[in-house]
Amino acid sequence: MLAEQVMRAFWPLFSILMALLAALMLGLQDLVRIETVWISAAFGLIALIATAILGIRRFHLPTRSEALARLDETLPGRPIQALMDDQAIGAMDADSVGLWQAHQARMADRASNADPVKPDLRLASRDPYALRYAALLALVVAALFGSFWRIGSVADMTPGTAQAGQGPTWEGWVEPPRYTGLPTLYLADQTDPTLTVPKGSRITLRFYGEIGAHSLTETTTPLGTEAATEPEQDFVADRSGQLRIEGPAGRDWALDILADTKPQIEVAGAAEAEAGGQMKLPFAASDDYGIISGTARIELNLPAVNREFGLVTEPEPREIITVELPMPITGDRTDFTEDLIEDFSQHPWAHLPVKITLLAVDAADQESVAEPYFADLPARRFFDPLAAAVAEQRRDLLWSRDNALRVAQLLRAVSHLPEDLFRSDTAYLRLRVILRRLETFDRHGALNLKQQEEIAQALWDLAVLIEDGTLADALERMRRAQERLTEAMQNGASDEEIAELMQELREATQDYMRQLQRLAQENGEDGQNQQGQNGETLQMTQDDLQRMMDRIQELMEQGRMAEAQQALEEFQQMMENMRVTQGQGQGGQSEGQQAMEGLAETLREQQGLSDQAFRDLQEQFNPGAQSGESQGNEGSSGGLGRGQSHEGQGGQGQGQDQAGEGQQGQGSLADRQQALRDELGRQERSLPGGGTPEGDAARDALGRAGRAMDEAEDALRSDDLAEAIDRQSEAMEALREGMRSLGEAMAQNQQNQPGQGTEAGDMQANNRDPLGRAPGSAGSISTDDNLLQGEDVYRRARELLDEIRRRTGEQDRPQIELEYLKRLLERF
């Protein structure tokens, strides 16, 4: 209770006292005029006296009765007060007296268990703004960063007796520039006659006592100072010189100014292209106090450009590329190494000789320029020859608009016979549209900068589509990935590019496996395994494929490109000759197989509609040429028109009117597209695999396919065939993705069913490769078994050749198998 009385009465006095003490310990009195110090001292003294008087009036010592009452409030039933009371009624009645005594005994027992009362020192109601905490915080800061001895400096400000007792004195500080991070020096503590300080340090001096008792002479500034007697001196040291304080307590130093060196920056390695096409340029930078920022200037090295083909023309002027250099987010910037990563794949200077100049700036605004670095500007590389040709013509068009006619002629020559060149109808159509726009602009002389950029962007999108576009045939996609990987190995691609192409081959191979599995189901091979010549099951699991591709990648990483290319060819031949089979014990088609067949039928019908729309668009661009082009396209599953893989459903299921009435109009195509969309909706509602991640992914893909079909129908009804073909392509891609997800869901369901084996288990149990042979040592693809010996070798070879010739003559076999058999005959 005494503590509560003290805090409630004297908290204003304590707060003011802590605030005044903190101000003196921090030396605030040295920062203001002496008059301000004494005025503040007078107000502070008045505040202390007033709060002390107010506190004395409020304070009183706690009494015994108050203490008992305070303790009694914490107990239930007020037992202490009950013990102090007397019986007022029934004092003459023995029963009443006994009851009263029992009550007091119970209250005495309760009072004996009383706990000490905790003080209530909360002052929030009296100090709502928490001024006491602010004063306490100021005192803590003063104790950490100030000094108790600074309070004595107030005595130096006292006129008369204090000055006479102590005599004239001075104090001073040297403050280095803030960016150096160096501490402030107190001159009175510096005993070394030579002071080494950074350039730009601020020197502050204060003279106390009689004016003229001390004077300053310095030669560190351009004009210098001679015998200055002002009480306050403030200057910035820019050069080495003398600093002398003359007087009773005089001192002198030789100031050695440490100049701020310029930053250093240089290229630390060769500029390379990342897997995605970004340029990676390592650089190293250093500075005595740290780098603030940096830039890289990239300009065309025109004398080093090979001026041939489209680069013969004088280039159009372009601005120098300026990019900010990355700086370390944390850590020291005095010496570091970083990588500049930027994507210049779409810039007109991509793969052309450039000059790269790095520039660094330090905190003193000093700039340093590195030696120019000459190299070809790294950018994305196109391994597909057609994509590379389109990208090259895009570069020539951006080089100069005078190349527009030449670019148009080359693009027209490239697209003259598109059957064996373009794998995508959409890519060919886009090229023709770009070509027509370019020729129109060039013919009328209206190719301005904006149109040049638009056509260049369209050519870039076309090159990316050709390079990365999804192909309708999974085998063609796998072959294409193998070809791109072979091209990359022959052209000396980087490790990142080879790794990216290897990943693309893995994905294409997995897609091919799923397509083979679907075809096996459609051909009724669900319950029977493919048997080899000796009755052995021919199977290949994902683990076998992964081991083979890991071996190829390992050979490439070791630089053994010839062996890697040979292993890649063996892998390609093995994949083309492989048949994927299902496990035994399945009777009839399951719900998932029926759904897969229905989606495959929808995909073929959608392809047929897309082919018909493309032929109609060709008729619009070149009337009368449809028949010739159609004849050239028929019989080629990878061409632009009606391939064998699409003709069956596109012509038979939906195109009966074509045989009798010829080409159908857009309205008929729109109706067929609407009917196909309705059929897809019915299939989506009955799709199995609900609740699994694969089944949900399949439903999402079919939903995207349905929306794309709706947009294709709208485009057909508005006679926008180009837009309709694009949307139909999106629908087909979404359908393929949905079928892949559904196949994964079916495989997962089959693995979870009891009694169902896996291909991996069969492969491990039989320990056989896809051709029924035992694998070689160390996991090699070849076999260690001895093949046939003696005369039986020639007999067996003749039998195989006869069987190959017989199968080659059976034209109803799948096109993939016929092509493989023809390659066998050509080789052997």
Side-chain angles (χ1 to χ4, degrees), residues 603-629:
L603 178 60
R604 286 192 293 270
E605 293 178 359
Q606 181 62 76
Q607 182 66 58
L609 288 177
S610 180
D611 292 344
Q612 182 63 47
F614 178 72
R615 288 192 293 272
D616 292 349
L617 186 61
Q618 281 185 313
E619 181 68 21
Q620 290 183 3
F621 278 119
N622 192 7
Q626 179 184 354
S627 59
E629 292 183 2

Side-chain angles (χ1 to χ4, degrees), residues 272-276 280 493-502:
E272 299 178 349
E274 295 279 307
K280 179 181 180 181
S494 63
D495 295 340
E496 292 80 3
E497 292 172 333
I498 289 180
E500 183 180 9
L501 294 174
M502 195 68 199

Side-chain angles (χ1 to χ4, degrees), residues 116-362:
V117 181
K118 297 181 180 180
D120 184 10
L121 302 181
R122 293 175 296 180
L123 302 174
S125 59
R126 293 174 172 79
D127 182 16
Y129 299 105
L131 298 179
R132 63 194 184 283
Y133 291 136
L136 178 61
L137 177 61
L139 183 61
V140 172
V141 172
L144 292 176
F145 303 103
S147 174
F148 186 79
W149 304 109
R150 285 194 175 185
I151 300 177
S153 63
V154 179
D156 298 336
M157 302 179 184
T158 305
T161 305
Q163 289 185 1
Q166 295 185 0
T169 186
W170 61 271
E171 61 179 348
W173 303 268
V174 179
E175 300 179 16
R178 188 177 300 274
Y179 66 84
T180 63
L182 298 177
T184 300
L185 301 179
Y186 190 61
L187 281 177
D189 296 338
Q190 307 304 314
T191 58
D192 194 334
T194 301
L195 293 180
T196 302
V197 297
K199 183 179 180 180
S201 298
R202 179 173 296 277
I203 300 177
T204 303
L205 294 173
R206 287 198 180 95
F207 297 150
Y208 305 116
E210 184 179 354
I211 296 178
H214 288 96
S215 63
L216 168 67
T217 300
E218 56 88 12
T219 60
T220 60
T221 57
L223 298 179
T225 302
E226 183 69 25
T229 59
E230 288 80 3
E232 293 187 6
Q233 302 288 336
D234 190 352
F235 60 93
V236 176
D238 292 329
R239 60 186 182 184
S240 300
Q242 289 295 125
L243 174 63
R244 184 169 61 253
I245 299 176
E246 299 175 350
R251 296 275 301 276
D252 67 286
W253 298 270
L255 288 184
D256 184 12
I257 301 300
L258 184 62
D260 189 350
T261 60
K262 288 187 176 182
Q264 301 294 323
I265 188 170
E266 62 181 357
V267 176
E272 299 178 349
E274 295 279 307
Q278 300 92 343
M279 181 192 74
K280 179 181 180 181
L281 178 64
F283 67 94
S286 61
D287 185 66
D288 46 2
Y289 298 115
I291 303 291
I292 296 300
S293 62
T295 56
R297 292 165 50 88
I298 304 176
E299 53 187 320
L300 181 66
N301 185 15
L302 191 58
V305 176
N306 186 13
R307 305 294 295 276
E308 61 179 3
F309 306 118
L311 304 181
V312 176
T313 309
E314 287 299 318
E316 296 178 354
R318 292 191 177 274
E319 296 182 357
I320 297 176
I321 304 174
T322 302
V323 294
E324 293 291 331
L325 292 178
M327 295 288 116
I329 300 177
T330 60
D332 190 10
R333 290 191 180 185
T334 57
D335 190 359
F336 64 91
T337 301
E338 281 287 344
D339 294 329
L340 172 62
I341 300 178
E342 290 288 340
D343 191 357
F344 299 109
S345 299
Q346 299 190 47
H347 197 275
W349 296 343
H351 300 296
L352 292 180
V354 294
K355 181 177 71 172
I356 303 177
T357 306
L358 304 182
L359 182 144
V361 181
D362 63 4

Side-chain angles (χ1 to χ4, degrees), residues 29 155 294 401 420-421 448 498-499 620 631:
Q29 69 276 9
R401 281 174 287 173
D420 299 328
L421 185 62
N448 54 33
I498 289 180
Q620 290 183 3
Q631 294 175 1

